[in-house]
């Protein structure tokens, strides 16, 4: 209301000033016009006297003068006439004139002397009077007297007052119109939209379900610049509310939901302003050349999937091997680059390795030695002395890169990732005993017998035990690890606390089941299409006609059970021929570690099986397996997850397997079915999946049949339960628990 009043007052003042100026101008002009009129009339009258008056004054014909004066002295508005002699003395005057008018006049003398007429407005006896004095001249133009005419000029004032009155009325009408127009415009364009906006915001605040679409009721209004801001605000509010509801719900179950915001807040307290340092072999963003340009890609694998969302929140430095062919040109002289490229949130520090170092450390010792050693997949580990030397050397290179980064950091928190860097914890502690170091082992830990075949088992165990905290995905791997330490190292094991003490140092061994983010699940699917439309689009893209889709997403690795999966598809079609031309299984396989013979052989074997199965069953418009061998982005993969009727995770041995969890997250409509290997760590949490033994082809074929024929309500109920589990046990919880535990670790000298 205040703004309306202010607007009205300002407009009325402006109108008043304009009206006043205009009226003054008009009144002045009118006064001048009327005065001119009187003067003209006086002159005409005077001229008509002139000739007869001069001789009469000369001859002192007072009587005749008196008669003339009386005859002319009572015309319209002419109150009277006075005739003066040369000295300004009254010779004769109209009788009805007041005495004041009949006095000798200096003005008359001046007129005679200057021989020119003059007109003035005077108040005589309280009456507005126009007095016109003109000289009376002889033929030789010499003035012999003066003639004064007295007009009643009060009609001019009356007329001017009329003008004022008239303009005042105009001003008042104008003001009323201005008030009306202002009120209407303000209401339509300002207070109306604001009121609608306020009502809509109240609805959003008080959760009227139909407002969650966040459609602001303003279009093309004066407030439209606010629309996008307010929409964003409403969306954030809606997300925050959903999260708060989740939190409240879970709080009742005495565990609150970990969210990006929650983790951020938690980290602020736990890290007390310190940065977080992550060290891993694989970098989260790799720059590669594509023709003349450079593009950034996200490598496949659990480490990146899990830790990138955490680092985006916590900031800090991630030290990793720069393995992209455009990595050097995109980093600074220290090998640093801010990532993610599209929205930088933390620093990636790249470590450079020679081809020989990469061969010995990564392809050799890590992936031909430790990888098969830890995975029981009947692939024989190969241990070569030169690889081991390289492995030690590269661990040293990584530690040096890290030490530079943590140089100025007091009691830094370091998260070392995976089997490539088993020696790092001890190397860090030797230089920086004040650092709190956690090692997270992303792959399984088999058992003492299997591990025992490694010629450098003690060095590896000692390197790992340099950490204050060692994390595995599940308790089973922790047990295996302690058994192994017990078997091969002189140490003090506390089975109750699950720790290993060597000298002054104590390492805690704990399970931290890794997971994925759950933002999308909370906010709702980003993919606007429904499952059927999406499925149709994808089938069109791959050029196949089918009714159902199954999906597999893997880094092409012999631990993932990909050939076994395809054999199960073959058996399924053999056993249930009614699904021929009905189901197409799409495998999104990212090539990996292709410098290792086993991996190249695996790709060849996989392609061979695909070809065999397709040749056996395919028809003109349909084929059973589509093998898309490429690195797919998370967005692309997500489309397949959302379109698929089921997903197959058939690892022969797997630490956790995040594909299983990603698929669950993508099922916002709870419709898909997960077929999951009993040998993947994820099977401990996702008990509502169809759990299979990937070595049992018959069982897997039947699981595919179940996935396609499960009762809708059971399918939904199973997925809903898994959805809740992954939502609650998400990556933010993993990071919060791991880092929280690390910050609580007490170092020997504390
Ligand atoms: O999950 C085990 C792991 O080795 C991770 O370290 C890595 O993220 C993933 O597999 C991919 O392996 P690579 O880095 O050899 O491509």
């Amino acid at each position: 209301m205040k703004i309306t009043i202010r607007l009205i007052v300002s407009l009325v003042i402006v109108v008043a000033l304009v009206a006043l100026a205009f009226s003054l101008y008009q009144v002045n002009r009118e006064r001048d016009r009327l005065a001119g009129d009187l003067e003209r009339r006086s002159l005409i009258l005077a001229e008509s006297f002139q000739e007869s008056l001069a001789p009469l004054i000369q001859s002192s014909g007072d009587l005749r003068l008196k008669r003339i004066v009386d005859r002319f002295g009572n015309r319209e508005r002419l109150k009277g006439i006075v005739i003066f002699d040369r000295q300004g003395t009254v010779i004769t005057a109209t009788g009805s004139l007041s005495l004041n008018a009949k006095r000798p006049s200096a003005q008359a003398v001046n007129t005679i002397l200057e021989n020119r007429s003059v007109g003035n407005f005077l108040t005589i006896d309280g009456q507005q009077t126009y007095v016109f004095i003109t000289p009376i001249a002889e033929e030789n133009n010499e003035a012999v007297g003066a003639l004064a005419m007295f007009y009643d000029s009060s009609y001019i004032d009356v007329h001017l007052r009329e003008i004022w009155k008239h303009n005042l009325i105009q001003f008042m009408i104008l003001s009323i119109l201005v008030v009306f127009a202002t009120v209407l415009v303000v209401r339509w364009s300002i207070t109306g939209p604001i009121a609608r906006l306020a009502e809509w915001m109240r609805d959003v605040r008080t959760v009227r379900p139909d407002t969650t679409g966040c459609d602001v009721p303003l279009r093309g209004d004066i407030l439209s610049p606010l629309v996008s801001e307010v929409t964003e605000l409403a969306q954030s509010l809606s997300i925050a509310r959903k999260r708060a509801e989740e939190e409240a719900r879970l709080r009742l179950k005495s565990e609150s939901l970990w969210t990006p915001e929650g983790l951020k807040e938690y980290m602020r307290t736990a890290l007390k302003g310190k940065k977080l340092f992550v060290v891993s072999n694989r970098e989260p963003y790799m720059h590669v050349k594509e023709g003349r340009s450079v593009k950034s890609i996200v490598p496949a694998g659990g480490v990146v999937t899990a830790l990138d969302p955490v680092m985006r929140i916590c900031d800090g430095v991630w030290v990793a091997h720069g393995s992209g062919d455009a990595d050097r040109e995109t980093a600074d002289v220290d090998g640093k680059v801010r990532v993610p490229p599209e929205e930088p949130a933390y620093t990636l520090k790249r470590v450079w390795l020679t081809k020989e170092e990469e061969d010995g450390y990564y392809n050799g010792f890590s992936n031909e030695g430790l990888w098969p050693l830890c995975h029981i997949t009947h692939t024989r580990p190969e241990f070569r002395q030169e690889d081991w030397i390289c492995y030690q050397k590269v661990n040293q290179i990584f530690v040096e890169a890290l030490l530079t980064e943590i140089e100025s950091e007091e009691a830094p928190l370091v998260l070392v990732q995976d089997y490539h860097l088993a020696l790092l914890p001890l190397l860090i502690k030797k230089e920086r005993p004040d650092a709190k170091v956690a090692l997270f082992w992303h792959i399984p830990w088999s058992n003492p017998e299997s591990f025992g075949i490694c010629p450098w088992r003690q060095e590896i165990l000692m390197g790992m035990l340099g950490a204050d905290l060692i994390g595995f995905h599940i308790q089973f791997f922790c047990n295996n690890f302690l058994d192994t330490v017990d078997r091969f190292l002189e140490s003090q094991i506390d089975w109750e606390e699950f720790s290993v003490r060597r000298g002054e140092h104590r390492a805690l061994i704990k399970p931290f089941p890794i997971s994925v983010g759950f933002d999308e699940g909370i906010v709702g699917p980003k993919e606007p299409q429904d499952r059927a439309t999406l499925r149709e689009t994808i089938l069109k893209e791959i050029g196949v006609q089918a009714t159902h889709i199954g999906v597999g997403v893997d880094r092409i690795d012999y631990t993932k059970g990909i050939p076994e999966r395809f054999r199960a598809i073959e058996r399924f079609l053999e056993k249930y021929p009614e699904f021929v031309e009905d189901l197409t299984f799409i495998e999104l396989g990212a090539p990996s570690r292709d410098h290792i013979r086993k991996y190249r052989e695996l790709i060849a074997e996989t392609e061979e099986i695909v070809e065999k199965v397709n040749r056996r069953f395919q028809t003109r418009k349909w084929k059973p397996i589509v093998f898309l061998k490429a690195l797919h982005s998370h967005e692309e993969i997500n489309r397949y997850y959302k379109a698929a009727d089921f997903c197959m995770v058939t690892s022969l041995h797997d630490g956790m397997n995040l594909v299983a969890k990603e698929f669950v997250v993508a099922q916002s409509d709870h419709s898909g079915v997960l077929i999951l290997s009993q040998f993947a760590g994820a099977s401990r949490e996702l008990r509502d999946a169809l759990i299979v033994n990937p070595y049992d082809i018959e069982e897997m074929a039947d699981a595919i049949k179940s996935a396609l024929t499960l009762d809708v309500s059971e399918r939904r109920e199973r997925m809903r339960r898994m959805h809740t589990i992954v939502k609650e046990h998400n990556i933010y919880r993993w990071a919060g628990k791991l880092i929280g535990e690390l910050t609580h670790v007490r170092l020997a000298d504390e």
Side-chain angles (χ1 to χ4, degrees):
M1 194 59 194
K2 263 187 185 164
I3 181 158
T4 317
I5 291 174
R6 254 185 258 143
L7 209 59
I8 289 174
V9 168
S10 321
L11 286 171
V12 168
I13 288 175
V14 170
V15 170
L17 288 175
V18 172
L20 182 69
F22 180 73
S23 302
L24 280 173
Y25 173 75
Q26 197 184 1
V27 162
N28 283 338
R29 268 195 59 182
E30 198 59 15
R31 188 200 306 276
D32 290 350
R33 188 182 67 77
L34 291 172
D37 212 30
L38 273 178
E39 189 176 327
R40 248 186 335 275
R41 264 205 266 163
S42 308
L43 272 173
I44 293 168
L45 192 61
E47 267 168 24
S48 65
F49 288 149
Q50 271 295 351
E51 279 181 20
S52 46
L53 288 181
L56 288 174
I57 294 172
Q58 293 275 45
S59 60
S60 304
D62 292 0
L63 214 58
R64 286 191 59 198
L65 281 175
K66 177 78 172 137
R67 238 182 285 134
I68 291 172
V69 165
D70 284 342
R71 183 151 45 99
F72 288 98
N74 54 0
R75 295 189 166 200
E76 187 201 358
R77 290 194 184 124
L78 184 61
K79 286 161 69 178
I81 294 173
V82 178
I83 294 174
F84 300 94
D85 63 11
R86 283 175 69 90
Q87 285 72 41
T89 314
V90 176
I91 301 173
T92 186
T94 309
S96 56
L97 272 179
S98 80
L99 284 177
N100 279 333
K102 296 176 191 164
R103 291 207 176 123
S105 162
Q107 183 75 61
V109 176
N110 276 347
T111 307
I112 294 162
L113 288 177
E114 288 170 15
N115 199 9
R116 83 182 164 82
S117 310
V118 64
N120 270 321
F121 286 96
L122 300 172
T123 307
I124 299 174
D125 297 334
Q127 229 185 12
Q128 283 297 307
T129 310
Y130 179 71
V131 182
F132 185 79
I133 306 178
T134 184
I136 302 167
E138 283 184 312
E139 268 174 12
N140 61 2
N141 214 19
E142 195 182 325
V144 292
L147 167 68
M149 284 168 265
F150 292 80
Y151 287 92
D152 176 3
S153 67
S154 58
Y155 76 96
I156 293 182
D157 279 354
V158 172
H159 182 61
L160 295 184
R161 261 201 304 280
E162 274 301 306
I163 292 178
W164 277 114
K165 209 165 92 190
H166 182 251
N167 283 3
L168 183 70
I169 292 170
Q170 262 187 356
F171 161 72
M172 281 167 68
I173 293 172
L174 209 60
S175 297
I176 291 168
L177 289 177
V178 163
V179 170
F180 264 118
T182 311
V183 169
L184 284 183
V185 169
V186 167
R187 216 170 252 168
W188 277 336
S189 307
I190 303 176
T191 53
I194 288 178
R196 285 205 301 283
L197 184 65
E199 192 187 342
W200 172 82
M201 287 180 91
R202 192 173 43 245
D203 288 344
V204 169
R205 183 170 51 80
T206 52
V207 211
R208 235 178 52 191
D210 56 335
T211 53
T212 47
C214 301
D215 211 1
V216 189
L218 295 174
R219 290 285 169 267
D221 278 301
I222 195 170
L223 301 175
S224 55
L226 283 178
V227 169
S228 71
E229 287 303 317
V230 172
T231 309
E232 292 241 330
L233 208 68
Q235 275 167 348
S236 314
L237 185 68
S238 157
I239 294 166
R241 183 179 296 127
K242 281 182 184 161
R243 288 198 177 126
E245 280 165 7
E246 274 302 325
E247 265 179 63
R249 197 177 62 73
L250 291 168
R251 217 172 287 123
L252 289 177
K253 290 164 59 185
S254 80
E255 173 99 14
S256 95
L257 180 72
W258 284 83
T259 58
E261 290 75 27
L263 178 63
K264 205 172 200 171
E265 202 44 52
Y266 179 77
M267 288 301 172
R268 220 190 312 268
T269 324
L271 299 181
K272 295 190 184 91
K274 285 182 193 170
K275 281 188 199 158
L276 193 61
F277 295 89
V278 168
V279 197
S280 75
N281 168 69
R282 184 59 70 198
E283 59 182 336
Y285 295 90
M286 192 189 256
H287 285 99
V288 291
K289 290 182 182 149
E290 198 181 48
R292 287 181 166 200
S293 57
V294 168
K295 71 169 185 178
S296 142
I297 57 169
V298 178
V303 171
V304 173
T305 307
L307 278 161
D308 177 60
V310 175
M311 284 301 276
R312 283 176 189 233
I313 290 169
C314 301
D315 199 350
V317 183
W318 184 329
V319 181
H321 173 211
S323 52
D325 58 8
D327 273 357
R328 278 183 199 264
E329 63 194 67
T330 47
D332 66 12
V333 280
D334 298 319
K336 289 187 188 171
V337 55
R338 291 285 289 172
V339 290
E342 67 284 2
E343 207 178 330
Y346 63 93
T347 303
L348 165 64
K349 179 184 165 93
R350 287 169 172 153
V351 169
W352 312 117
L353 301 179
T354 62
K355 193 184 163 309
E356 290 68 36
E357 285 164 348
E358 195 180 337
D359 261 351
Y361 140 82
Y362 175 74
N363 293 323
F365 196 77
S366 297
N367 288 326
E368 287 189 296
L370 289 178
W371 179 266
L373 180 74
C374 290
H375 290 91
I376 305 174
T377 54
H378 316 292
T379 300
R380 206 169 127 182
E382 288 180 33
F383 293 111
R384 292 178 285 262
Q385 173 79 18
E386 60 273 25
D387 289 349
W388 168 239
I389 292 170
C390 226
Y391 184 84
Q392 295 174 87
K393 184 179 163 201
V394 172
N395 270 245
Q396 190 62 44
I397 292 174
F398 270 94
V399 90
E400 275 156 22
L402 173 77
L403 290 173
T404 319
E405 292 308 311
I406 60 177
E407 205 166 19
S408 54
E409 201 78 17
E410 211 181 299
L413 288 184
V414 184
L415 303 184
V416 180
Q417 308 297 314
D418 234 349
Y419 59 98
H420 312 85
L421 302 169
L423 308 181
L424 221 61
L426 190 61
L427 292 175
I428 298 170
K429 283 289 194 169
K430 269 188 191 155
E431 298 301 322
R432 289 294 302 268
D434 65 322
K436 289 189 173 176
V437 181
L439 167 66
F440 192 80
W441 200 259
H442 288 258
I443 60 175
W445 193 278
S446 53
N447 55 50
E449 289 70 37
S450 304
F451 191 78
I453 65 170
C454 176
W456 300 284
R457 59 193 176 225
Q458 280 182 328
E459 287 87 337
I460 288 171
L461 290 174
M462 285 190 308
M464 292 172 75
L465 287 168
D468 302 292
L469 178 64
I470 302 177
F472 291 95
H473 290 301
I474 54 177
Q475 185 62 49
F476 180 59
F477 300 154
C478 297
N479 299 353
N480 287 349
F481 180 74
L482 277 199
D483 279 341
T484 311
V485 174
D486 198 18
R487 178 83 59 90
F488 299 111
L489 271 193
E490 193 72 45
S491 60
Q492 216 180 312
I493 295 182
D494 184 331
W495 285 97
E496 229 175 86
E497 188 190 46
F498 255 77
S499 67
V500 179
R501 188 176 286 278
R502 298 190 75 241
E504 285 300 293
H505 182 74
R506 183 189 68 147
L508 271 177
I509 320 299
K510 286 201 151 208
F512 298 95
I514 206 162
S515 193
V516 289
F518 213 97
D519 272 4
E520 195 197 359
I522 291 170
V523 178
K526 282 187 188 126
E527 178 63 68
Q529 287 169 306
D530 61 47
R531 189 175 287 266
T533 321
L534 195 53
R535 183 185 307 149
E536 224 168 88
T537 317
I538 286 177
L539 284 169
K540 210 173 274 170
E541 282 165 11
I542 58 173
V544 169
Q545 280 185 5
T547 314
H548 293 108
I549 290 183
V551 72
V553 179
D554 302 89
R555 198 171 44 74
I556 303 176
D557 193 294
Y558 51 79
T559 60
K560 305 294 178 188
I562 302 169
E564 286 76 1
R565 197 179 306 167
F566 293 162
R567 279 189 202 110
I569 304 272
E570 182 181 23
R571 179 69 189 124
F572 163 74
L573 293 172
E574 205 173 67
K575 205 166 168 185
Y576 306 104
E578 64 273 25
F579 287 98
V580 167
E581 290 197 316
D582 178 277
L583 168 73
T584 290
F585 187 83
I586 305 170
E587 173 67 30
L588 307 178
S592 158
R593 305 176 187 170
D594 51 7
H595 289 100
I596 301 171
R597 192 173 41 82
K598 278 268 175 215
Y599 285 79
R600 290 196 300 272
E601 283 172 6
L602 174 69
I603 291 191
E605 182 192 352
T606 309
E607 282 172 336
E608 212 174 280
I609 300 174
V610 172
E611 213 192 306
K612 186 185 133 215
V613 178
N614 281 346
R615 207 174 331 110
R616 180 169 170 199
F617 291 100
Q618 79 183 22
T619 60
R620 208 166 57 82
K621 292 183 174 168
W622 171 85
K623 48 172 128 163
I625 304 174
V626 174
F627 182 27
L628 301 176
K629 195 180 67 180
L631 173 68
H632 295 86
S633 69
H634 281 292
E635 289 72 33
E636 280 175 282
I637 293 172
N638 214 30
R639 289 177 70 227
Y640 286 89
Y641 284 151
K642 283 179 181 299
D645 295 279
F646 66 90
C647 173
M648 284 187 93
V649 173
T650 55
S651 313
L652 305 179
H653 202 185
D654 215 334
M656 173 56 70
N657 195 295
L658 293 183
V659 168
K661 293 190 174 179
E662 282 178 344
F663 178 72
V664 168
V665 169
Q667 304 307 301
S668 38
D669 60 359
H670 301 162
S671 279
V673 177
L674 176 65
I675 298 175
L676 178 60
S677 160
Q678 68 184 78
F679 304 122
S683 65
R684 311 294 158 109
E685 290 172 272
L686 305 179
R687 292 178 188 277
D688 278 293
L690 302 181
I691 304 287
V692 292
N693 171 0
Y695 293 95
D696 187 341
I697 303 297
E698 205 65 25
E699 186 189 45
M700 283 209 285
D702 289 342
I704 296 171
K705 165 90 185 320
S706 303
L708 293 175
T709 53
L710 260 188
D711 174 62
V712 180
S713 59
E714 185 185 344
R715 206 172 59 196
R716 291 233 161 107
E717 192 44 36
R718 279 170 178 263
M719 188 47 80
R720 196 193 55 72
R721 283 198 291 261
M722 291 195 283
H723 214 245
T724 308
I725 286 170
V726 182
K727 190 193 281 189
E728 290 168 7
H729 293 201
N730 58 35
I731 188 63
Y732 310 111
R733 179 182 192 268
W734 175 84
K737 297 270 177 197
L738 179 71
I739 298 166
E741 187 75 47
L742 185 62
T743 54
H744 289 123
V745 157
R746 292 200 54 167
L747 303 181
D749 56 356
E750 276 186 321

